[in-house]
C-alpha cells in the first residue's frame, strides 16, 4: 500500500533531501521506531517494576539498574515516540524551540545512561577489589549522592546548547532528527562527545580491567570464587554489567564517531542507521537481565503473573550484595 501519487509529487517538487518521495522507506523507518519504542518502553518499565515489587529493591546493584531502566524508559517512550512522529510527517522543518528542547532532553538522557554505567562499573570494581570502600559507598547517603550525580551531571553539557548559550540544537532535515546545529561553533559538540562519551568509556573499561586482573590473579584459587561465595556473586554480576556496557558501547560508538567526523552531514544515511543501532541496543538491557540472572527472571515472572512477593527480604542466594536498609515486612501487591 502506498500514499497517493500527488503526495509523492509534492515531495519531489518541494524537497531536495535523499528521502524525498521515498514513502515506503519512511514508512519502514516509522514502523521500526514504533516497534523499538514499544519494546524498549515495556522492557524497561517491566524491569523497574520487577525491582520495586520484589526483594531486589534492597540490593545496591538493583537500585542502580532500576534507575538506569527509568532513564531507558524515558528515552524509549519520549524520544522514540517523537522520532516516529517526525518520520510520519517527513517534514523539512521543525520548530527551533521544539528542537532545542527535544535535543536537550535526548542528549541529557543519553548522558544519564552513560553516567549510570560509570557508577555501576565503579561499584562493581569496588565490590571485587576494595570491599570496605564498597560497603562505605553502599550507605544511603553515598548512594543518594551517586544517583543524584547520575541524573544531574549531564545537564552541565546539555543546558547551554538547549538555551543556545554555548552551541545549539537544530532540526537536520537530511537525517530527520533534532541534533547539534552545524551552522554555529562546534566546541560544545566536541566537548560533549569527549567528556560525555570518550572519558566515561575509558573509565568503565579501566574498572572492568581491574576486575579482570583480580579474577586472573585468583585463578589458581578459583574454587573460592565459585558457587554462592560473595566473590563469585560479584564476578557474575560484573560480567552481566560488562555485557550491558558492551552493548551500549557497540550501539553508541559508531554514532558518536560519525557525529565528530561528519559534522556537515555529508553521509546522512550513515547517521540514520547508526542512530537506529543505538535505539535498538537501548532496548536490549531487560533481555540481558533475563538471560543472565535467575533472580530477575523470577521477578519478571511474578510481575507478569501478578504473583508479587508478600514479604520481600534479601535472600541468601541472591547474586547481588549490598543492602541499603533493613527490609520491612510489607505487602508488595
Amino acid at each position: 500500500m502506498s500514499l497517493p501519487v500527488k503526495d509523492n509529487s509534492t515531495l519531489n517538487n518541494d524537497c531536495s533531501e535523499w528521502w524525498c518521495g521515498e514513502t515506503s522507506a519512511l514508512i519502514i523507518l516509522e514502523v521500526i521506531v514504533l516497534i523499538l519504542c514499544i519494546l524498549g518502553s515495556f522492557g524497561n518499565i517491566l524491569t523497574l517494576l520487577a525491582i520495586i515489587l520484589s526483594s531486589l529493591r534492597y540490593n545496591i546493584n538493583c537500585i542502580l539498574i532500576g534507575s538506569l531502566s527509568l532513564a531507558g524508559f524515558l528515552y524509549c517512550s519520549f524520544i522514540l515516540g517523537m522520532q516516529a512522529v517526525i518520520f510520519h510527517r517527513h517534514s523539512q522543518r521543525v520548530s527551533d524551540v521544539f528542537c532545542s528542547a527535544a535535543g536537550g532532553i535526548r542528549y541529557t538522557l543519553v548522558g544519564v545512561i552513560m553516567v549510570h554505567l560509570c557508577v555501576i562499573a565503579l561499584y562493581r570494581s569496588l565490590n571485587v577489589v576494595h570491599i570496605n570502600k564498597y560497603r562505605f559507598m553502599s550507605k544511603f547517603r553515598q548512594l543518594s549522592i551517586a544517583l543524584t550525580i547520575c541524573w544531574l551531571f549531564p545537564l552541565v553539557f546539555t543546558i547551554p546548547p538547549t538555551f543556545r548559550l554555548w552551541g545549539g540544537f537544530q532540526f537536520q532535515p537530511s537525517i530527520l532528527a533534532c541534533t547539534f546545529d552545524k551552522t554555529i561553533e562546534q566546541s560544545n559538540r566536541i566537548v560533549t562527545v569527549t567528556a560525555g562519551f570518550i572519558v566515561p568509556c575509558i573509565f568503565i573499561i579501566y574498572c572492568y580491567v581491574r576486575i579482570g586482573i583480580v579474577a586472573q590473579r585468583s585463578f589458581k584459587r578459583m574454587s573460592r570464587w565459585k558457587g554462592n561465595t560473595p566473590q563469585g556473586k560479584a564476578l557474575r554480576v560484573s560480567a552481566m554489567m560488562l555485557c550491558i556496557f558492551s552493548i551500549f558501547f557497540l550501539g553508541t560508538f559508531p554514532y558518536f564517531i560519525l557525529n565528530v567526523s561528519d559534522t556537515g552531514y555529508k553521509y546522512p544515511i550513515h547517521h540514520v542507521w547508526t542512530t537506529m543501532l543505538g535505539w535498538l541496543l537501548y532496548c536490549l538491557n531487560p533481555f540481558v537481565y533475563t538471560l543472565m540472572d535467575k533472580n530477575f527472571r523470577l521477578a519478571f515472572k511474578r510481575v507478569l503473573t501478578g504473583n508479587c512477593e508478600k514479604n520481600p527480604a534479601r535472600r541468601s542466594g541472591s547474586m547481588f550484595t549490598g543492602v541499603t536498609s533493613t527490609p520491612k515486612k510489607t505487602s508488595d501487591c
Side-chain angles (χ1 to χ4, degrees):
M1 181 179 294
S2 61
L3 296 177
V5 177
K6 60 180 181 180
D7 291 341
N8 291 335
S9 299
T10 302
L11 285 173
N12 288 328
N13 292 332
D14 300 335
C15 179
S16 58
E17 303 298 340
W18 64 270
W19 47 265
C20 297
E22 299 292 339
T23 305
S24 299
L26 292 173
I27 291 176
I28 292 174
L29 291 175
E30 180 183 349
V31 171
I32 292 175
V33 173
L34 284 174
I35 293 174
L36 294 177
C37 176
I38 295 172
L39 290 179
S41 299
F42 176 76
N44 281 289
I45 199 65
L46 179 63
T47 302
L48 185 60
L49 290 175
I51 293 172
I52 293 174
L53 300 176
S54 73
S55 58
L56 295 177
R57 69 172 181 254
Y58 299 115
N59 296 283
I60 296 299
N61 203 69
C62 292
I63 294 173
L64 294 172
I65 289 177
S67 185
L68 175 63
S69 297
L70 177 59
F73 169 75
L74 293 175
Y75 188 95
C76 291
S77 59
F78 181 80
I79 301 301
L80 296 190
M82 176 196 68
Q83 191 62 52
V85 173
I86 292 177
F87 281 145
H88 181 75
R89 294 183 59 188
H90 46 75
S91 174
Q92 293 192 79
R93 181 167 179 79
V94 174
S95 169
D96 291 338
V97 175
F98 173 83
C99 248
S100 292
I105 295 173
R106 174 186 177 184
Y107 287 101
T108 296
L109 289 175
V110 172
V112 168
I113 293 172
M114 194 74 210
V115 178
H116 270 87
L117 293 175
C118 287
V119 172
I120 289 173
L122 174 63
Y123 272 82
R124 291 297 89 222
S125 177
L126 293 178
N127 194 18
V128 174
V129 182
H130 301 290
I131 188 64
N132 290 330
K133 293 182 180 179
Y134 173 77
R135 290 168 180 164
F136 172 77
M137 291 295 295
S138 298
K139 295 180 180 179
F140 178 80
R141 180 181 179 183
Q142 284 75 6
L143 181 62
S144 299
I145 293 174
L147 290 173
T148 301
I149 292 175
C150 287
W151 285 94
L152 297 184
F153 181 70
L155 294 174
V156 175
F157 302 97
T158 56
I159 285 182
T162 299
F163 293 97
R164 290 191 168 269
L165 302 175
W166 179 31
F169 299 114
Q170 184 184 52
F171 182 71
Q172 183 58 38
S174 61
I175 61 175
L176 288 166
C178 296
T179 185
F180 290 100
D181 190 348
K182 67 177 182 179
T183 64
I184 58 178
E185 204 266 331
Q186 298 292 303
S187 60
N188 173 266
R189 184 185 207 171
I190 296 173
V191 170
T192 299
V193 172
T194 303
F197 181 76
I198 297 177
V199 173
C201 282
I202 293 174
F203 174 77
I204 293 171
I205 292 172
Y206 168 76
C207 289
Y208 285 114
V209 166
R210 291 196 68 189
I211 293 173
I213 291 175
V214 171
Q216 179 64 27
R217 289 176 178 175
S218 305
F219 181 77
K220 294 181 179 180
R221 298 171 294 168
M222 203 60 186
S223 59
R224 295 176 54 190
W225 292 73
K226 294 180 180 179
N228 291 323
T229 62
Q231 296 91 342
K233 298 172 189 176
L235 283 180
R236 289 199 299 275
V237 71
S238 298
M240 183 177 75
M241 299 317 302
L242 175 60
C243 180
I244 291 172
F245 165 68
S246 300
I247 289 175
F248 179 86
F249 180 81
L250 292 175
T252 54
F253 182 74
Y255 171 78
F256 278 100
I257 292 299
L258 191 62
N259 265 269
V260 173
S261 61
D262 185 23
T263 57
Y265 303 101
K266 296 180 180 179
Y267 308 99
I269 192 64
H270 295 310
H271 286 269
V272 173
W273 75 258
T274 54
T275 301
M276 298 195 78
L277 177 62
W279 294 340
L280 171 64
L281 298 181
Y282 287 155
C283 303
L284 292 181
N285 286 356
F287 298 98
V288 175
Y289 307 144
T290 302
L291 293 174
M292 300 190 69
D293 180 37
K294 62 180 181 181
N295 294 312
F296 267 107
R297 289 195 296 270
L298 179 60
F300 287 154
K301 181 179 179 180
R302 284 176 168 167
V303 170
L304 292 174
T305 59
N307 184 28
C308 301
E309 295 179 76
K310 298 301 181 182
N311 297 295
R314 185 179 60 160
R315 293 180 296 271
S316 59
S318 174
M319 69 182 290
F320 299 105
T321 58
V323 182
T324 57
S325 60
T326 303
K328 300 178 181 179
K329 299 293 183 178
T330 57
S331 175
D332 292 305
C333 298

